[in-house]
Each structure stands twice: as C-alpha cells, then as structure tokens.
Amino acid sequence: MGKPKFYDLCIHAVPDGENVAEQLAALSRYLGYSGIALTNHSDKLPLSQPVLPSTNEFEIFRGVELAEENPSKLHGLIGKFRKSVDVLIVHGGSETVNRAALENPRVDILNHPAFAKSSGLNQVLAKAAADNDVAIGLTIRPLLHSRGPRRVRLLSDLRANLDLARKYDVPLVLSSDAMSCFDLRSPMEILALAEVCGLEEDEALEAITIVPERIISRNRPGPGYIREGIEVLEEGDYF
C-alpha cells in the first residue's frame, strides 16, 4: 500500500476567510496535504474565480458551501453550482435544510448539521444520507474556537452523529473548516483530534483520505483532464 493522500475539503479564502487562495494552498501543501478544496460560503464568493495553483503532487479543487435556509431555494442553488464545482457542501443547522441536503444525491457533504437541542441527525436523516451517498462533515475549527459548555455540546453532538453514521454506514469527511491560515492543521493533528472526538483510527483515516478522494473522482472527468485556469507552482513557492 502506498503513502496515503490527505485532503482538506473545506477551506475558506478571501472574501469569506482572511487569507488568499495562494497562501492557504502553500501552507496546506507544506503541512502534507495532497489537495484542498476552496469552499467559500455561497454568499461570500469572490467576484472572479481565482487562478488555482496546482502541481502533480498537490491540487486545489473548486468548491462551495451553500448557505440557504429555504429548502426550495437551496435546491435551486444546488442545481446552479453542481456542474461548476468539484465539491458541493451544504451548511446545515435546521431540520428542513438538513433533510433537503441529505435527500439530494447531488450534494457531497453536509456540514454543521446541529441545531438547538439536536445533534442535527436522526435515524431517518442518517438513512437518507447513506442512500444518497451524502457525507457528514466533521469540522475541526468550531472545536478549536470553543470553550466550556459550548465545547462539551459540540463534542456531544459529534458523538451522537458518529453513532448514527456507524449504524447506517454514512460516509464521513474530516476537514479544518479553516477561515485563515491559523486554523489549518496538519493531517496528523487532524487525525489526533478526531480520535479524541471518538473516531477510531481507521475511521478518521478514511474520512481524510478515501472518502474525499472518492468525492473528487465522481465529480471530475476522466484521466487526462486539465482544468482551465490552472497555474503550476514551482517547488518552494511558499508565501
């Protein structure tokens, strides 16, 4: 078995986050990732698509995190963005949005499913996620930036969703959800944090390697495809 390829499929660049794509890409490559997805929220997209740096060993994928409370409008956004991105994430947080995302096979990942007094998932929604191959996103940034009761609640919600994911064989994706370079963590740090949160070592590894790679593969054309607008970075071009 070769060396695993690590992916972070949820990173926010300017104007959603604090750093530009080139800075986030350079640091992510330095930390040991094989690829990242730039997934700004749909209401904070750049005015023009940035030129995406890429090498044979490192790729940047186009993504979006849809932020919409109205399920009907959400389905419209899914249709609008699906063909133009490699990774399509829905920002959850209400039962109606979670259901709309998990029942739509064009969605790749549901992030932040929890809402008031609920971890965000139940048996019906977990089964829908499994049937439609929609992954549940486990994001690290909220844990890093929380303390006290809020962190306890986040961990409790995560473990409840993890139990349902195991029961219904729902795919999981681990990501930083970084809003700046300071939120990025190396793959080994992400794996260590995931195990503290209750994931087994093999579950955490699959959630940062195999599942992200599968998502990218199903949304991209076959071998030999070169995405328009790619710029190759030379070795050592960090910052």
Side-chain angles (χ1 to χ4, degrees), residues 3-218:
K3 182 179 178 181
K5 292 184 176 182
F6 298 103
Y7 298 92
D8 189 336
L9 296 190
C10 188
I11 293 179
H12 306 276
V14 169
D16 197 8
E18 297 177 12
N19 295 99
V20 298
E22 290 79 6
Q23 292 174 312
L24 294 162
L27 181 55
S28 296
R29 186 173 64 173
Y30 177 76
L31 290 173
Y33 288 95
S34 295
I36 62 171
L38 298 175
T39 53
N40 280 18
H41 290 90
S42 51
D43 57 348
K44 294 183 180 179
L45 295 174
L47 294 177
S48 60
Q49 287 286 0
V51 174
L52 301 182
S54 182
T55 70
N56 290 333
E57 294 78 28
F58 183 85
E59 290 186 272
I60 296 187
F61 309 107
R62 295 193 191 278
V64 67
E65 183 168 355
L66 302 180
E68 176 53 62
E69 293 296 322
N70 183 298
S72 179
K73 292 181 179 179
L74 176 61
H75 285 301
L77 287 175
I78 293 169
K80 174 182 176 181
F81 284 101
R82 178 65 280 177
K83 290 185 179 180
S84 63
V85 297
D86 303 308
V87 181
L88 193 151
I89 300 173
V90 170
H91 189 119
S94 73
E95 186 171 3
T96 54
V97 169
N98 292 351
R99 181 181 295 275
L102 296 176
E103 291 181 346
N104 194 321
R106 294 178 295 173
V107 174
D108 295 318
I109 304 168
L110 173 66
N111 275 355
H112 315 297
F115 55 94
K117 297 183 180 180
S118 170
S119 67
L121 295 186
N122 55 38
Q123 293 184 346
V124 172
L125 294 181
K127 186 176 186 305
D131 290 344
N132 294 297
D133 199 21
V134 180
I136 300 301
L138 307 178
T139 55
I140 299 302
R141 180 180 59 86
L143 288 170
L144 296 177
H145 288 270
S146 64
R147 297 289 185 274
R150 173 167 166 74
R151 177 173 285 184
V152 172
R153 168 67 192 277
L154 286 171
L155 286 170
S156 175
D157 290 341
L158 189 154
R159 287 166 180 159
N161 288 337
L162 180 57
D163 288 342
L164 283 167
R166 286 169 174 157
K167 181 176 180 179
Y168 290 94
D169 198 24
V170 178
L172 301 172
V173 171
L174 273 168
S175 65
S176 66
D177 191 32
M179 299 297 290
S180 76
C181 287
F182 295 107
D183 291 328
L184 292 173
R185 295 295 184 272
S186 72
M188 294 302 104
E189 289 177 297
I190 295 284
L191 290 172
L193 285 167
E195 290 187 46
V196 170
C197 293
L199 277 78
E200 300 293 336
E201 182 179 357
D202 58 335
E203 290 175 323
L205 187 61
E206 184 171 312
I208 201 174
T209 59
I210 295 172
V211 178
E213 193 165 31
R214 189 173 75 229
I215 288 171
I216 294 299
S217 295
R218 77 185 181 200

